[in-house]
Amino acid sequence: MTGHGLHVVQDGPRQGPALLLIHGSGAAASSWDLMVPWLATVCHVIRVDLSGCGQSPPAAEYDVPGQAALVARVLDERGLRGVAVAGHSSGGYVGTALAERRPELVGSLTLIGTGPSMDALRPQPLVLRLLLGPPFGALIWRVRTDAWIRKGIAATAARPVDVPDSVVAGVRGITYRSMRKVLRANTAYLEERTLPERLAVLAVPVLAICGDADPKWDPSAARRYPRVEMMPGVGHLPILEAPEATSKLLLDFVGA
């Protein structure tokens, strides 16, 4: 952690092609743990804990462009340009904002389970409504157990997932207040302009990887992206539900 204030994890050969991984709302760099063994055999994998998540300190605000500016500083400190960027869920918004603000930093963009617009959002599972919404969310958040966290994570999966302890620890790092701010910031970013509209004016190759059984976002809305790989029987968490297959799709795209 340096002047940008974000906790950074690096894996794989430093001389390999740089691959930046950005986690989704309330998660942390550890959410990619199951994919790193495949990715790090080829790439210099860089993971960040966004503000208020994992081991990164909270911020006053969590607007998506502001988060992207902090991520840009991570790359600037390492002298990296033309990096392959992959974001899971709302991490795709930060990756998109990074390409908007600093196009020279982004060589390609992969969106994994990233909703394109607010009209594609489905009703959330009950456990997430309890954890995230008033009036009980703040109270439950303070006393939630690891089992509750695992249940909340698995609620958007379409198949059974074994959630590693490291992923649970990363989720535990964010406060209820910060989580609410992050969700509002993500909504504001999409309401200002949809993701397909933003991507249409960017000169960067884009791949969307989506589960065809995603309970969080309408899977048919993924067709709004210019290029999409649908994963049969997978929900909102390809990085946990099918880490090997997701890694292969990502590496094939980055290599191409």
Side-chain angles (χ1 to χ4, degrees):
M1 192 181 301
T2 55
H4 47 72
L6 301 183
H7 179 254
V8 180
V9 182
Q10 299 182 81
D11 297 281
R14 298 298 188 267
Q15 70 274 19
L19 171 61
L20 173 68
L21 304 179
I22 307 174
H23 64 80
S25 301
S30 58
S31 65
W32 300 93
D33 278 1
L34 297 184
M35 288 179 58
V36 168
W38 285 283
L39 301 178
T41 60
V42 178
C43 297
H44 172 200
V45 180
I46 303 165
R47 294 180 283 166
V48 296
D49 286 340
L50 296 176
S51 296
C53 299
Q55 299 182 51
S56 292
E61 299 297 335
Y62 294 88
D63 64 285
V64 173
Q67 295 273 45
L70 294 177
V71 173
R73 290 168 65 180
V74 172
L75 300 180
D76 285 338
E77 287 179 355
R78 289 159 177 76
L80 295 172
R81 297 291 183 273
V83 173
V85 177
H88 173 245
S89 193
S90 62
Y93 307 148
V94 178
T96 301
L98 180 65
E100 290 176 318
R101 294 175 62 94
R102 298 287 303 278
E104 78 281 5
L105 297 181
V106 181
S108 67
L109 180 60
T110 303
L111 310 172
I112 304 175
T114 301
S117 57
M118 292 306 299
D119 65 344
L121 184 65
R122 288 177 154 181
Q124 299 303 287
L126 176 61
V127 63
L128 293 182
R129 296 202 303 272
L130 289 173
L131 280 168
L132 298 175
F136 303 113
L139 296 174
I140 296 174
W141 199 270
R142 286 197 292 268
V143 300
R144 64 202 165 122
T145 62
D146 286 358
W148 261 88
I149 292 175
R150 281 190 163 86
K151 189 173 182 179
I153 294 171
T156 56
R159 57 177 69 174
V161 290
D162 183 14
V163 181
D165 291 343
S166 60
V167 175
V168 174
V171 171
R172 189 171 284 287
I174 190 169
T175 66
Y176 179 77
R177 182 185 296 272
S178 293
M179 184 67 177
R180 293 285 298 176
K181 286 185 176 182
V182 167
L183 295 176
R184 286 195 294 268
N186 293 337
T187 298
Y189 185 71
L190 280 188
E191 287 182 339
E192 181 183 54
R193 204 173 337 141
T194 70
L195 219 58
E197 289 172 331
R198 293 176 183 275
L199 296 171
V201 297
L202 297 179
V204 59
V206 178
L207 170 67
I209 299 175
C210 303
D212 71 358
D214 190 335
K216 183 170 183 178
W217 299 95
D218 179 1
S220 67
R223 300 299 178 186
R224 302 174 192 174
Y225 292 121
R227 176 179 174 183
V228 61
E229 290 281 355
M230 300 299 294
M231 302 189 73
V234 173
H236 185 61
L237 307 173
I239 62 176
L240 295 179
E241 296 176 68
E244 183 176 5
T246 306
S247 297
K248 185 178 185 304
L249 289 172
L250 177 54
L251 289 175
D252 287 348
F253 177 60
V254 171

